[in-house]
Amino acid sequence: MTKRRRSLGNAFRTLDRVLGGQRPPTRLQRRVAEHPYVAGLCVTVPYILFFLLIAPEDETGNLPFATLGGLAVGTCFTLTALAERSRQRRLERTRQV
């Protein structure tokens, strides 16, 4: 199991390097990585309003649908921000920043 875990880690780092993971973060990336939950909330609220806007007016289940849709988008954004935070920590450990 250890060899498999190590090879998966090496594959991830290789893919990250190919996709530009060794570049220093921008100012916006640093800000989002500092506050990933606030950034996720700032994305969730507009998406909830957007889903409410596009929902048909005559249906009664619009609010739960809009809330779940906004939370799904916000959760994805928050997880991406947390991944960016871990990438920045890894860059700091390897003294790339």
Side-chain angles (χ1 to χ4, degrees):
M1 186 66 177
T2 306
K3 287 183 181 181
R4 179 179 289 169
R5 180 178 265 173
R6 192 174 314 142
S7 66
L8 286 175
N10 289 339
F12 172 75
R13 282 187 284 285
T14 302
L15 178 66
D16 185 51
R17 209 173 310 114
V18 167
L19 294 176
Q22 298 297 323
R23 284 183 281 173
T26 63
R27 191 175 359 175
L28 180 62
Q29 287 174 326
R30 286 179 192 237
R31 184 69 146 176
V32 167
E34 287 174 6
H35 308 286
Y37 299 109
V38 173
L41 185 64
C42 289
V43 169
T44 300
V45 172
Y47 269 97
I48 289 174
L49 296 175
F50 173 72
F51 286 137
L52 279 174
L53 183 68
I54 64 170
E57 292 180 16
D58 56 346
E59 289 187 20
T60 58
N62 293 341
L63 185 61
F65 168 74
T67 304
L68 287 175
L71 285 175
V73 172
T75 301
C76 287
F77 192 83
T78 302
L79 292 174
T80 303
L82 289 170
E84 176 63 25
R85 175 189 274 186
S86 67
R87 182 186 81 91
Q88 290 179 18
R89 284 183 181 164
R90 182 178 47 80
L91 287 175
E92 285 178 6
R93 277 196 312 266
T94 59
R95 305 287 191 242
Q96 294 287 328
V97 176

